[in-house]
Amino acid sequence: MTLEIISPEAALFKGVVSSVKLPGIDGSFQILNNHAPIVSTLTEGIVDVEVLNVEYVQELEPSITKVTPTRFTFAIGSGTLEMNNNKIIVLVD
């Protein structure tokens, strides 16, 4: 599935991922391939991404940490997520 993480300042990440863990308002949750369509509000926390193929990462962004060659984490203040047809778009503050 594809993932895009976008802040008001810039696109932070675009790539093909196997899983995404997100800090939802009612608790953290994980999205895997072929997940049902969902729209959710996100709270302050960490977005944890398992990557299959990276197209773009905003390397100088201090909120991004490369944990391993295939795992990135993103610190967010809040945001919104939409997942539909194996495409995830995350808008973050």
Side-chain angles (χ1 to χ4, degrees):
M1 65 191 156
T2 60
L3 170 67
E4 292 182 45
I5 300 177
I6 303 166
S7 76
E9 293 81 27
L12 302 178
F13 176 88
K14 183 175 183 181
V16 179
V17 301
S18 60
S19 72
V20 182
K21 294 177 187 169
L22 303 130
I25 293 278
D26 293 326
S28 64
F29 61 97
Q30 183 176 25
I31 295 178
L32 300 172
N33 200 27
N34 295 317
H35 194 285
I38 184 174
V39 174
S40 180
T41 327
L42 304 175
T43 187
E44 183 177 355
I46 301 295
V47 176
D48 192 334
V49 180
E50 282 293 329
V51 177
L52 295 175
N53 182 14
V54 176
E55 294 175 32
Y56 176 79
V57 176
Q58 179 76 29
E59 295 292 343
L60 300 177
E61 178 64 38
S63 65
I64 301 172
T65 303
K66 187 173 186 177
V67 179
T68 69
T70 62
R71 184 172 167 224
F72 290 85
T73 60
F74 301 81
I76 65 169
S78 64
T80 305
L81 154 93
E82 178 186 14
M83 160 67 166
N84 194 18
N85 294 325
N86 278 335
K87 182 173 183 179
I88 304 167
I89 299 174
V90 180
L91 305 174
V92 298
D93 292 332

